[in-house]
């Protein structure tokens, strides 16, 4: 009897050890700016064996990924990937937004003390939770060509974030993470190499630095899980696509080479079974604007600053003299809360009157007030998720598809599009099974999936379930 009991105990103990060993010792989260499925699939025959082809063949691929909020840009996308929640909670509503106190635009990671920091990111990230769970012993770094994805991916508790300074094309970091530069960076002569203004070559530089971070810090070498965040780009060199068949072929072939070199280099250094790769997209695309009127497609120009002046006149006729709309930024109008309070005007009534007035203007598809968004009805949930009460405007104007929004005061201009951009989420390595999942999923489920794989808590505002 004792013999059988010993065998059972040995089996259970062995199973527990095996489960512990299955946790990846390094998670590499690769975000590819503007990656899209249609281009990815179009150039599949041109890929080598170590890049996209390997990930798509051997990884768990979720074909139909999307973001649970709107609108999406690089900063808001990256923040959602690492926090597992939306701008409503994590506070990064865009690359730039209007500071209500100064009525001036601010950049999402600018910091007067440290030059750049994640202080505007209001929730924890999966990297932060890894640091907490390991009492700071886990190694967490981020590498990107631009400072916002580098800083936001790194989060609050990381060891460091590296990006290429746009002023001198040299690598730099922030004093927020450390007052001094690590010796393994100082001793690396390539860190100050001059770069070309080319996103394809920039991907190569990012991969070079990412591999140096892994070797320089000893990531994945011990039994404590570490994390590396890498941001690459699938955008055209000038950031805008005109003829995808001629321009994007070389972009995706070079991206495939860069991705293969990154994955292969880390696998060689750490081991395939010890590293988990996660690859996804920022879920948007910059496209060159065309004159739709040449093709008889309905279009027009909506002047938001002129419309704001008309709304001021309308509200003045009702409530008396005053500048009720202080300013506009992007498609948002910011009201003068102090004036409204002084006049003891009912905010709900004023917002409803403003909505009724604005929706009658040509070029406006719909108008969303702060109160309407905060109500959070399911039909406008994506817009509500992209809204933040303390940062966003009081009135959000949805411009009709094909129409151009123009702000003559700030020279802002963009054409409204409501199209869906398909992109995947790929998990590869660390024993991940090869499979394709066509069920629609959202990107905010990446963070809890990573957290589950390395046995830590999900970020503190994440309420979504892991993907597997």
């Amino acid at each position: 009897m004792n013999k059988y009991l010993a065998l059972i105990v040995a089996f259970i103990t062995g199973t527990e050890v095996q489960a512990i060993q299955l946790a990846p010792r390094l998670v590499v989260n690769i975000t590819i700016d503007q990656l899209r499925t249609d281009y990815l699939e179009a150039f599949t025959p041109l890929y080598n064996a170590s890049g996209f082809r390997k990930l798509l063949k051997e990884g768990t691929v979720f074909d139909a990924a999307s973001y649970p909020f709107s609108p999406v840009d690089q900063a808001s996308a990256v923040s959602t990937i690492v926090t597992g929640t939306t701008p409503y909670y994590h506070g990064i509503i865009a690359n730039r937004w209007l500071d209500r106190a100064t009525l001036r635009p601010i950049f999402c990671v600018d910091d007067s003390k440290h030059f750049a920091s994640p202080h505007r990111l209001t929730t924890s990230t999966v990297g932060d939770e890894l640091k907490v769970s390991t009492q700071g012993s886990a190694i967490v770094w981020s590498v990107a060509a631009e400072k916002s994805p580098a800083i936001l991916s790194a989060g609050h508790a990381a060891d460091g974030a590296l990006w290429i300074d746009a002023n001198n094309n040299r690598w730099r970091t922030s004093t927020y993470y450390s007052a001094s530069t690590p010796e393994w960076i100082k001793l690396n002569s390539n860190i100050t190499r001059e770069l070309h203004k080319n996103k394809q070559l920039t991907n190569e530089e990012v991969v070079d630095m990412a591999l140096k971070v892994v070797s320089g810090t000893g990531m994945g070498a011990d039994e404590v899980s570490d994390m590396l965040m890498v941001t690459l780009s699938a955008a055209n060199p000038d950031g805008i696509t005109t003829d995808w068949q001629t321009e994007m072929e070389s972009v995706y072939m070079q991206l495939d080479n860069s991705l293969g070199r990154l994955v292969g280099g880390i696998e060689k250094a750490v081991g395939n079974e010890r590293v988990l790769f996660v690859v996804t997209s920022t879920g948007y695309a910059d496209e060159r604007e065309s004159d739709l009127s040449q093709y008889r497609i309905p279009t027009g120009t909506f002047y938001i600053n002129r419309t704001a002046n008309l709304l001021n006149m309308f509200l003045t006729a009702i409530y008396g003299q005053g500048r009720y709309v202080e300013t506009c930024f992007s498609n948002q109008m910011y009201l003068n809360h102090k004036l409204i309070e002084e006049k003891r005007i009912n905010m709900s009534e004023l917002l409803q009157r403003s909505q009724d007035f604005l929706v009658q203007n040509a070029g406006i598809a719909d108008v969303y007030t702060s109160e309407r968004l905060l109500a959070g009805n399911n039909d406008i949930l994506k817009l509500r998720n992209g809204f933040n009460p303390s940062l966003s405007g009081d009135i959000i104007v949805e411009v009709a598809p094909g129409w151009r929004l123009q702000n003559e005061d700030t020279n802002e201009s963009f054409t409204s599009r409501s199209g869906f951009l398909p992109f995947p989420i790929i998990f590869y390595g660390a024993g991940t099974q090869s499979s394709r999942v066509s069920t629609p999923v959202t990107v905010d489920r990446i963070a809890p999936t990573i957290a589950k794989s390395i046995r830590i808590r999900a970020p503190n505002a994440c309420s979504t379930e892991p993907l597997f």
Side-chain angles (χ1 to χ4, degrees):
M1 189 70 173
N2 290 337
K3 178 181 178 181
Y4 292 117
L5 181 62
L7 288 173
I8 292 171
V9 170
F11 174 77
I12 294 174
T13 304
T15 303
E16 290 176 347
V17 171
Q18 185 181 30
I20 293 172
Q21 291 175 339
L22 287 176
R25 293 301 174 251
L26 174 61
V27 175
V28 183
N29 190 83
I30 305 170
T31 302
I32 304 178
D33 190 38
Q34 302 186 51
L35 177 73
R36 43 193 294 175
T37 298
D38 49 356
Y39 293 168
L40 180 62
E41 293 179 345
F43 306 121
T44 297
L46 306 175
Y47 300 149
N48 59 47
S50 59
F52 282 120
R53 184 171 295 183
K54 178 167 74 171
L55 298 183
L56 293 170
K57 179 181 179 181
E58 301 179 22
T60 299
V61 183
F62 295 86
D63 289 318
S66 65
Y67 280 82
F69 66 92
S70 180
V72 179
D73 67 3
Q74 186 185 61
S76 59
V78 166
S79 300
T80 291
I81 291 170
V82 297
T83 64
T85 190
T86 63
Y88 185 86
Y89 293 104
H90 65 58
I92 306 298
I93 59 175
N95 290 312
R96 300 194 315 153
W97 61 84
L98 202 70
D99 184 352
R100 283 185 175 273
T102 63
L103 296 182
R104 292 182 178 180
I106 55 175
F107 191 68
C108 57
V109 296
D110 281 353
D111 185 331
S112 58
K113 181 179 180 181
H114 299 287
F115 175 72
S117 80
H119 70 286
R120 293 190 176 92
L121 187 66
T122 57
T123 66
S124 70
T125 69
V126 66
D128 294 338
E129 296 294 342
L130 177 58
K131 275 288 190 181
V132 172
S133 68
T134 61
Q135 297 182 331
S137 61
I139 303 169
V140 179
W141 276 83
S142 174
V143 184
E146 299 170 308
K147 65 180 179 182
S148 61
I151 293 286
L152 296 170
S153 293
H156 305 89
D159 296 285
L162 292 165
W163 69 91
I164 301 171
D165 192 322
N167 295 320
N168 57 21
N169 288 329
R170 297 171 186 268
W171 286 99
R172 71 165 300 168
T173 186
S174 168
T175 56
Y176 171 86
Y177 297 104
S178 177
S180 60
T181 303
E183 287 300 319
W184 59 268
I185 294 181
K186 289 181 180 178
L187 296 174
N188 186 344
S189 60
N190 287 335
I191 196 169
T192 58
R193 185 170 63 190
E194 290 294 327
L195 305 177
H196 299 285
K197 295 286 187 180
N198 186 307
K199 290 186 181 294
Q200 297 174 53
L201 295 179
T202 300
N203 281 338
E204 289 293 289
E205 296 293 340
V206 171
V207 169
D208 284 344
M209 182 51 65
L211 293 175
K212 287 159 189 168
V213 169
V214 172
S215 61
T217 62
M219 280 186 164
D222 57 21
E223 298 309 305
V224 177
S225 296
D226 303 316
M227 189 169 296
L228 175 65
M229 309 292 187
V230 181
T231 304
L232 301 176
S233 175
N236 205 39
D238 65 358
I240 300 175
T241 303
T242 52
D243 184 351
W244 71 271
Q245 290 178 310
T246 58
E247 296 176 9
M248 300 310 295
E249 178 180 308
S250 63
V251 170
Y252 273 70
M253 287 180 63
Q254 183 57 54
L255 173 61
D256 179 61
N257 289 331
S258 299
L259 184 63
R261 196 161 64 84
L262 176 63
V263 172
I266 293 177
E267 283 184 320
K268 183 178 180 180
V270 180
N272 175 271
E273 292 302 315
R274 292 173 64 89
V275 58
L276 173 65
F277 294 91
V278 185
V279 182
T280 194
S281 169
T282 51
Y284 75 99
D286 291 328
E287 298 179 346
R288 188 179 299 278
E289 296 182 0
S290 303
D291 182 3
L292 300 181
S293 62
Q294 292 184 358
Y295 307 96
R296 297 190 291 274
I297 298 174
T299 185
T301 301
F302 169 72
Y303 296 94
I304 191 167
N305 58 310
R306 298 183 190 179
T307 305
N309 291 334
L310 291 174
L311 177 58
N312 263 321
M313 294 171 62
F314 172 74
L315 295 175
T316 294
I318 298 172
Y319 299 112
Q321 191 66 35
R323 185 173 179 80
Y324 296 91
V325 181
E326 284 195 296
T327 190
C328 301
F329 185 79
S330 186
N331 65 331
Q332 304 178 40
M333 295 184 182
Y334 291 76
L335 298 179
N336 189 336
H337 286 232
K338 183 178 179 181
L339 173 65
I340 295 170
E341 289 175 6
E342 288 176 350
K343 287 180 170 286
R344 298 183 179 180
I345 299 171
N346 183 288
M347 178 62 85
S348 297
E349 177 188 284
L350 185 145
L351 287 171
Q352 186 60 56
R353 288 181 182 273
S354 298
Q355 178 181 327
D356 294 341
F357 173 82
L358 290 170
V359 79
Q360 300 177 51
N361 286 265
I364 293 182
D366 207 340
V367 176
Y368 303 91
T369 65
S370 56
E371 289 197 347
R372 182 182 175 191
L373 289 170
L374 287 171
N377 295 327
N378 288 334
D379 60 329
I380 57 171
L381 188 58
K382 288 189 71 171
L383 285 168
R384 182 264 192 189
N385 287 341
F387 171 83
N388 186 282
S390 61
L391 304 174
S392 302
D394 302 284
I395 300 172
I396 314 294
V397 177
E398 181 184 358
V399 181
W403 276 64
R404 184 183 186 84
L405 181 143
Q406 181 77 39
N407 189 327
E408 295 166 307
D409 296 333
T410 62
N411 294 321
E412 291 179 279
S413 178
F414 65 86
T415 298
S416 175
R417 293 184 66 91
S418 300
F420 172 69
L421 182 71
F423 64 91
I425 300 173
I426 306 171
F427 291 85
Y428 165 77
T432 303
Q433 300 299 311
S434 173
S435 64
R436 299 294 286 253
V437 181
S438 58
T439 305
V441 297
T442 51
V443 167
D444 54 340
R445 296 176 67 184
I446 290 177
T449 306
I450 293 175
K452 180 183 177 182
S453 74
I454 53 178
R455 305 348 184 226
I456 64 171
R457 296 180 306 179
N460 60 16
C462 176
S463 60
T464 54
E465 295 180 357
L467 288 165
F468 54 85

